[in-house]
Amino acid sequence: GITVRFVVKIPEGLAPEQAAPLLCAGVTVYSPLAHFGLKQSGLRGGILGLGGVGHMGVKVAKALGHHVTVISSSDKKKKEALEDLGADNYLVSSDTVGMQEAADSLDYIIDTVPVGHPLEPYLALLKLDGKLILMGVINTPLQFVTPMVMLGK
């Protein structure tokens, strides 16, 4: 088999319990941003779901210089997203007016929701050639209306 050995230097003053999320959830969101060429500053990103991976998604995207919109099913985490994590915008997915106003505005969405959910509302938020990055582990088949994917490329 292949043996991989590596060392990650934890900066002085950073406790191991602070470093652990960076090495797990942080890498989980950074890796697809790097893979899909979404590291340049000025991009507009969406973070769908504000659990552990979503928290790191906001922090990593902001560190890259992105305008970040958190998308959630309720406004319960609005203060946390905007004030504590530094998100630029907060969108409640059931707010049809807000969702319509945000249509075609995002370069990417990192979807961290770990249960089955409709993808069409979020596909509508993406610009042409936008990327929907699915990070939530869902144990049911994905379903979506293909013309939305085809029209958005």
Side-chain angles (χ1 to χ4, degrees):
I2 298 173
T3 302
V4 179
R5 292 187 179 98
F6 61 92
V7 174
V8 176
K9 186 175 189 302
I10 296 176
E12 205 171 314
L14 183 63
E17 62 270 19
Q18 293 173 309
L22 295 173
L23 295 172
C24 182
V27 171
T28 298
V29 293
Y30 177 81
S31 178
L33 291 174
H35 178 80
F36 292 113
L38 298 168
K39 285 173 51 179
Q40 68 272 33
S41 75
L43 292 178
R44 299 180 71 83
I47 306 295
L48 177 56
L50 202 58
V53 173
H55 276 85
M56 290 308 304
V58 174
K59 299 298 275 182
V60 168
K62 287 301 296 178
L64 291 170
H66 297 178
H67 180 282
V68 178
T69 298
V70 169
I71 310 157
S72 190
S73 58
S74 76
D75 61 4
K76 286 190 294 196
K77 297 182 180 179
K78 183 173 185 174
K79 182 179 181 293
E80 179 182 15
L82 298 175
E83 295 177 22
D84 299 341
L85 297 173
D88 300 288
N89 194 15
Y90 191 91
L91 193 54
V92 177
S93 55
S94 60
D95 172 10
T96 50
V97 173
M99 290 289 282
Q100 285 172 350
E101 288 173 354
D104 301 317
S105 67
L106 300 177
D107 295 297
Y108 67 87
I109 295 172
I110 295 177
D111 180 345
T112 72
V113 178
V115 295
H117 56 284
L119 298 178
E120 287 85 0
Y122 311 108
L123 290 169
L125 299 175
L126 292 170
K127 295 177 183 176
L128 187 67
D129 286 328
K131 292 175 177 55
L132 177 62
I133 301 166
L134 300 176
M135 305 299 305
V137 178
I138 301 170
N139 61 1
T140 54
L142 289 177
Q143 292 184 318
F144 52 87
V145 181
T146 55
M148 286 200 73
V149 177
M150 294 158 71
L151 292 171
K153 291 177 74 182

